[in-house]
Amino acid sequence: MTHAAYLALVDELLEHNRRYYVDSAPTISDVEYDRKSKQLDQIEAANPSWVVAWSPSQRIGHAPISEFVKVERAVPMLSLDNSYNLDDLRAFYDRVVKGLGSETPIFSVEPKIDGFGIELTYRAGELVLAATRGDGKIGEDVTANARTVHGVTGKLREPIDLVIRGEIYIRKDDFVAINAARVAANEEEYKNPRNLASGSIKQLDPREVAKRPMRTILYEVVDGETVARGHLESLALAKRVGLPISEHNATATTWDELAATIESWQNRRDDLPYELDGLVIKVDAFEQRAQLGTTSKFPRWAIAYKFPARQVTTIILDLEINIGRTGAVTPVAILEPVDVSGTTVSRASLHNWDQVARLGLGKGDRVLIEKAGEIIPQVLGITESSGGARFATPTECPVCGTTLERAEGKVVLACTNRLGCPAQQLRTIEFFASRGQMNIDGLGEKIVEQLVSAKLVSDVADLFDLTAAQLEKLERFGKSSAKNLIAGIAEAKKTATFSRLLSALGIANVGRTVGAPIAAKYGSLRALRDAVAAKDSAAFVAELCEIEGIGEIIATAVDAYFRDPAAAALVDKLLARGVDPIEPVAAVNTNGNLVGKTFVVTGTLSKPRPEVQKDIEAAGGKVVGSVSKKTNYLVAGADVGQAKTEAATKNGVAIISEAELNALIAGS
Ligand code: IVH
């Protein structure tokens, strides 16, 4: 490998990034891309002095900094004047037309992404500065962080000078996923994608920033070697050299066209993957912009059109109590249906009971609710109290009557009647059948509900007693669908592995990763059951703890499950029905760069975790579910939970990034 070949590989990968993030037209597969970027990591590890600032490897993020350097602008960055309705906008249109005299303007109408403003400076095609707006005159240098943002290329396709502004944002689906992971880890949810994006870009540790799935769309060429005479032409140039531009910029000339374009957005704003807080209307021609000039605060040639607020008030009709598979009892507000910019909202999440108490909610209250994109509506507070009784935190499970408990230090309230509670039974059966668990084809949520309410099934073992004749009698079932479901259940029984069965049982903290070494040690459900019976609790927990990746918490949960009379009866019932798959013995790879090393993989990575696990195993390494002294590495992806990193630090386990893992696999 020569230095020139290294630079060519950097350029090649940059081009693939631009094709993916700018043109939405990748020309190689993800696998091929990963292979090339692994190769790049290897070369860089072997030749550290070669690494260039624009290398795609630099988007992983590097050493933290102590503060952001201030950058002063010669010409301050202006913000935009706002309009909130068509009358305001008409006044702007008339001012522009009057200001231009005999010339007619062409307007660009663009989505106003609700993110965080950024200004990128490229010199001879290289990214040299990414600065925040700050107070307009003085911003902050966030270049290292901006490099981690998808779409911010380190180098343009052409060696031109360019200063361009845009928005950094987090997509709605990514935001929902991040919050779901926070909820699962019992951590407080982030408020909205904008706060998360701006909070992330202002972190001092770029490695933390790299964990957030941030993207950018650029919208205003401020300076540079462009021969464009107008705004849209200058954006087309930016796109050509490899920068992401909105695909939704439209033009309008007459007032009617402008008004119609604005109207058309009312129904489209939810269709975009990111949140919009309005539109921006700009005069296109640079000469006309110059003619119109600026006030001390705003350009006279552009204006923001803010969408109407998505906060509305409605009445709380009731409080529904939801019971999850593992017994978590959560409140949901049932609302008088209300229209929030085109969609009807009739339920809102209240997250947890502390939130209900904090807001002091009661039946009949008028409350302010907010809906952002497809994100679940939130109750913000009471605008008019009904004066009636306030909702109390339940003390008993509304379905089975068991006293609710709160695990130490956790906000979640739970029903501990794990197998006896009908609500949990339903969720447990759904989970058992689902993809990734027992994979029973054709057994979705609705059918499980139907089977449970017809009293054909009350636990997962009952599934294996079902007959086609029983199913045919049910609504929505015909001869062939009944036969298919029975065949699906038989097939699942035949093809399952013990580790999947173990995970499908839904024992606390025992998923596929944790289940695998336990399954490997005992080989079958029957053997595990017998092993529990042969020892007392303390001895069995100690035995489990000897397995790599199994700690006290998991071991205790497994022990408790098999000693619980209801669970033990269920296990016997499954065995009696022949549900006892064996665990295939995995071929151990003895030559690879990771032989003898144990990994825990956590957080969001560039590909699904099972694939990362496969890579590790292919290199001879082992993946376990929880961090212990026996673990060698914690591979931390985006949004890694604090508990895992704390456990790693405590146990002296090295925390590495996905790129570092790839370097280990490659042996560099
Ligand atoms: S143009 C002088 N275009 O909205 C031109 N801004 O104050 C100023 N924004 O902070 C900006 N989408 O972060 C422009 N298509 C767009 C935009 C946009 C979002 C943000 C920008 C700015 C704020 C307006």
Side-chain angles (χ1 to χ4, degrees):
M1 172 63 60
T2 62
H3 188 227
Y6 162 72
L7 291 176
L9 181 61
V10 167
D11 279 352
E12 188 190 343
L13 282 163
L14 280 173
E15 179 58 23
H16 287 306
N17 282 343
R18 292 181 299 238
R19 285 184 190 166
Y20 188 89
Y21 287 105
V22 180
D23 307 332
S24 305
T27 52
I28 59 169
S29 68
D30 289 0
V31 175
E32 186 69 357
Y33 180 86
D34 287 347
R35 201 183 56 74
K36 285 182 192 289
S37 58
K38 261 182 216 160
Q39 198 189 349
L40 182 80
D41 290 340
Q42 273 170 44
I43 300 167
E44 293 191 337
N47 307 282
S49 66
W50 287 3
V51 182
V52 284
W54 60 87
S55 166
S57 67
Q58 302 304 295
R59 74 157 301 273
I60 299 301
H62 283 264
I65 51 174
S66 57
E67 60 170 357
F68 295 115
V69 175
K70 301 253 183 293
V71 282
E72 195 169 342
R73 294 186 172 81
V75 183
M77 224 161 135
L78 300 178
S79 79
L80 293 173
D81 198 2
N82 286 322
S83 60
Y84 298 91
N85 51 51
L86 287 181
D87 288 345
D88 291 352
L89 192 65
R90 176 75 209 217
F92 163 79
Y93 177 87
D94 289 342
R95 279 198 304 274
V96 169
V97 169
K98 190 161 163 240
L100 293 176
S102 57
E103 283 188 61
T104 43
I106 293 177
F107 293 96
S108 169
V109 182
E110 332 184 331
K112 186 171 187 307
I113 302 174
D114 198 9
F116 181 78
I118 194 90
E119 186 175 86
L120 305 177
T121 304
Y122 287 90
R123 289 261 172 275
E126 231 185 89
L127 177 67
V128 293
L129 177 68
T132 65
R133 180 172 181 275
D135 65 1
K137 189 130 181 79
I138 296 171
E140 285 177 328
D141 178 348
V142 291
T143 314
N145 288 350
R147 284 189 199 283
T148 71
V149 174
H150 293 300
V152 174
T153 184
K155 204 170 150 213
L156 302 176
R157 284 184 179 127
E158 294 168 29
I160 58 165
D161 287 353
L162 191 70
V163 182
I164 189 165
R165 283 172 61 183
E167 206 79 356
I168 287 177
Y169 65 94
I170 288 178
R171 282 166 54 138
K172 290 184 283 194
D173 55 351
D174 285 330
F175 178 77
V176 169
I178 289 172
N179 262 352
R182 304 239 346 147
V183 171
N186 256 324
E187 287 164 333
E188 185 126 8
E189 288 173 273
Y190 293 113
K191 225 175 121 210
N192 58 48
R194 175 171 45 85
N195 281 3
L196 181 56
S198 67
S200 301
I201 204 79
K202 284 195 226 151
Q203 286 197 56
L204 292 167
D205 189 345
R207 290 170 303 195
E208 291 300 312
V209 184
K211 291 177 193 162
R212 307 258 185 265
M214 290 193 284
R215 295 163 194 261
T216 190
I217 286 183
L218 302 163
Y219 47 64
E220 189 68 33
V221 172
V222 181
D223 200 358
E225 286 169 61
T226 91
V227 286
R229 280 176 302 144
H231 167 66
L232 291 171
E233 203 184 322
S234 73
L235 288 185
L237 169 117
K239 181 171 165 127
R240 200 182 73 221
V241 298
L243 293 167
I245 303 303
S246 171
E247 295 158 22
H248 303 279
N249 297 347
T251 55
T253 41
T254 64
W255 167 251
D256 287 347
E257 264 174 28
L258 189 57
T261 310
I262 307 275
E263 288 292 343
S264 77
W265 273 102
Q266 301 297 350
N267 307 321
R268 273 159 62 207
R269 65 184 283 208
D270 284 338
D271 299 341
L272 296 197
Y274 38 79
E275 283 194 19
L276 303 188
D277 62 340
L279 302 169
V280 181
I281 297 99
K282 304 171 179 171
V283 171
D284 184 66
F286 290 150
E287 219 181 272
Q288 293 180 343
R289 288 184 175 188
Q291 201 179 328
L292 292 163
T294 66
T295 70
S296 63
K297 284 200 230 132
F298 314 117
R300 289 201 181 89
W301 44 264
I303 196 164
Y305 176 85
K306 293 286 192 98
F307 286 139
R310 289 162 171 274
Q311 293 182 353
V312 297
T313 69
T314 186
I315 307 281
I316 294 202
L317 299 177
D318 209 348
L319 196 74
E320 190 179 276
I321 301 179
N322 250 355
I323 300 156
R325 175 173 65 85
T326 56
V329 174
T330 48
V332 176
I334 305 302
L335 306 169
E336 193 171 278
V338 59
D339 180 89
V340 191
S341 23
T343 54
T344 305
V345 170
S346 55
R347 300 161 69 84
S349 163
L350 288 164
H351 303 295
N352 56 54
W353 295 96
D354 288 356
Q355 168 103 344
V356 177
R358 191 162 56 234
L359 296 174
L361 301 176
K363 200 183 229 164
D365 289 350
R366 180 164 283 279
V367 288
L368 185 64
I369 63 163
E370 180 178 63
K371 183 167 181 288
E374 279 118 54
I375 296 163
I376 310 140
Q378 317 275 324
V379 174
L380 299 177
I382 301 174
T383 58
E384 200 187 320
S385 175
S386 65
R390 304 293 90 192
F391 293 122
T393 302
T395 53
E396 287 168 5
C397 173
V399 177
C400 72
T402 302
T403 304
L404 299 177
E405 285 174 26
R406 194 184 283 246
E408 221 181 280
K410 305 264 173 173
V411 283
V412 176
L413 202 60
C415 166
T416 54
N417 186 13
R418 185 71 178 77
L419 292 159
C421 173
Q424 289 176 70
Q425 278 168 3
L426 189 78
R427 302 273 166 262
T428 302
I429 299 168
E430 272 167 29
F431 177 72
F432 183 81
S434 67
R435 187 149 295 282
Q437 304 302 324
M438 291 295 277
N439 283 339
I440 303 180
D441 266 353
L443 192 52
E445 233 176 273
K446 284 263 150 13
I447 309 259
V448 173
E449 264 170 43
Q450 213 182 347
L451 296 177
V452 172
S453 68
K455 300 221 171 356
L456 289 177
V457 171
S458 70
D459 62 37
V460 299
D462 288 339
L463 292 171
F464 301 93
D465 287 340
L466 287 172
T467 65
Q470 285 174 322
L471 296 181
E472 274 170 37
K473 292 197 197 101
L474 300 178
E475 223 177 289
R476 284 199 304 254
F477 269 101
K479 252 197 165 38
S480 73
S481 57
K483 214 175 88 208
N484 286 345
L485 180 54
I486 297 299
I489 295 171
E491 179 66 15
K493 179 168 145 186
K494 209 168 73 198
T495 56
T497 59
F498 175 34
S499 55
R500 276 209 277 125
L501 172 63
L502 194 57
S503 146
L505 289 176
I507 303 170
N509 296 309
V510 182
R512 295 273 299 278
T513 318
V514 166
I518 301 179
K521 181 173 167 89
Y522 296 96
S524 74
L525 184 61
R526 185 180 301 273
L528 176 59
R529 177 197 66 175
D530 295 347
V532 181
K535 290 206 158 73
D536 67 16
S537 239
F540 183 67
V541 167
E543 180 174 306
L544 279 176
C545 283
E546 274 166 32
I547 305 176
E548 222 164 85
I550 307 297
E552 187 92 16
I553 294 177
I554 294 165
T556 310
V558 174
D559 180 73
Y561 183 85
F562 283 88
R563 287 184 207 279
D564 174 65
L570 177 67
V571 167
D572 290 345
K573 201 168 156 186
L574 280 166
L575 292 174
R577 278 150 190 76
V579 184
D580 194 16
I582 54 158
E583 187 65 5
V585 182
V588 182
N589 187 350
T590 51
N591 51 42
N593 290 319
L594 305 185
V595 171
K597 298 283 184 245
T598 302
F599 294 79
V600 171
V601 183
T602 186
T604 313
L605 299 151
S606 69
K607 51 188 167 186
R609 258 190 260 166
E611 278 178 41
V612 176
Q613 177 163 357
K614 252 191 252 156
D615 291 347
I616 294 174
E617 286 166 356
K622 208 192 270 182
V623 178
V624 298
S626 72
V627 175
S628 75
K629 281 210 160 32
K630 287 171 267 178
T631 313
N632 298 97
Y633 297 100
L634 174 68
V635 183
D639 230 66
V640 48
Q642 209 183 334
K644 282 246 167 58
T645 50
E646 271 171 15
T649 314
K650 206 180 87 201
N651 289 303
V653 174
I655 303 176
I656 61 170
S657 68
E658 192 178 354
E660 286 167 310
L661 169 68
N662 291 334
L664 285 178
I665 292 177
S668 45

